[in-house]
Amino acid sequence: MTSFRTHFLLHEDCAQSTYSPGLVGNEEVLLRTGFNPEAIDEHGNVRKTAIPSEHLKKSGFSVDRKKYASAAIIRERVAAQKANPNVQGRAEEFIYELLTQVVRHEMLDANSERINIVLDTAREDNRAHASIYTFYRSPSEIKQLKDMLEPFLRRYVPLEKYLQEHLEVSNAAQ
């Protein structure tokens, strides 16, 4: 009999979207954007509250696969999110990188078992879209996962600077 955890992990071996450019490789860099100034503390660090617990528990933590990401699509998405009346007044746009290898194989539970999967959830309007899903569900487990993600938050960069230096340069070279 296959355990729930094994079934959960097997999802990574199957394409999740007809728009997918392929399965997410362990070597891939993932990008997460944010724009909430309340998420940045007085020392310039992104707080763990920038990671919505509900996204981790239910809908997945949306990211972009850097090698397929488009600066234009990221700008459009951030503009659309900022236009939402529930987020008015938020301005500080930032981005940070996550490494698929770390998310999958270095964020482990107390028994040294994997807790996350990274799926290619490409969309028609964004083939770079991917999602991080976690096996963790309880508030204490979600807090532990946020603690594991915190080192990545410390390496955030202003969004426009990152897009100009990393995506527009690499897209121009292609």
Side-chain angles (χ1 to χ4, degrees):
M1 185 167 169
T2 306
S3 73
F4 175 75
R5 186 181 296 259
T6 302
H7 178 73
F8 176 78
L9 295 172
L10 288 173
H11 283 347
E12 285 184 319
D13 296 334
C14 303
Q16 303 296 312
S17 166
T18 57
Y19 304 106
S20 172
L23 300 178
V24 181
N26 282 332
E27 74 290 346
E28 288 192 54
V29 174
L30 307 171
L31 305 173
R32 173 73 181 189
T33 57
F35 54 88
N36 183 347
E38 291 112 32
I40 299 175
D41 70 18
E42 64 278 2
H43 305 293
N45 298 315
V46 178
R47 294 183 172 116
K48 288 183 273 189
T49 55
I51 303 170
S53 296
E54 287 305 305
H55 291 196
L56 292 173
K57 283 171 43 176
K58 295 182 180 174
S59 61
F61 190 55
S62 291
V63 293
D64 287 298
R65 298 165 70 178
K66 183 177 179 180
K67 71 181 182 179
Y68 301 109
S70 157
I73 290 172
I74 291 173
R75 283 186 186 106
E76 287 172 19
R77 184 179 63 241
V78 169
Q81 290 170 337
K82 287 174 68 175
N84 181 330
N86 296 328
V87 294
Q88 286 182 348
R90 298 178 179 188
E92 179 109 14
E93 300 165 354
F94 58 89
I95 192 166
Y96 54 92
E97 295 182 343
L98 298 138
L99 305 174
T100 302
Q101 171 69 24
V102 172
V103 171
R104 282 183 175 154
H105 301 289
E106 295 178 31
M107 295 181 179
L108 307 173
D109 68 11
N111 297 319
S112 297
E113 293 188 41
R114 287 183 57 193
I115 58 170
N116 301 317
I117 59 174
V118 181
L119 300 179
D120 60 327
T121 51
R123 300 175 179 163
E124 184 175 12
D125 64 343
N126 182 9
R127 69 188 288 254
H129 191 271
S131 298
I132 299 170
Y133 292 94
T134 185
F135 189 68
Y136 277 3
R137 291 290 177 259
S138 75
S140 64
E141 289 174 328
I142 294 298
K143 182 187 176 308
Q144 287 174 356
L145 180 55
K146 285 183 174 190
D147 289 344
M148 291 179 213
L149 289 167
E150 187 176 28
F152 295 104
L153 297 177
R154 287 191 221 124
R155 294 183 231 141
Y156 82 94
V157 176
L159 179 65
E160 202 50 46
K161 178 181 183 200
Y162 186 92
L163 295 179
Q164 289 172 5
E165 292 178 3
H166 295 275
L167 292 188
E168 290 175 343
V169 169
S170 65
N171 289 344
Q174 292 178 359

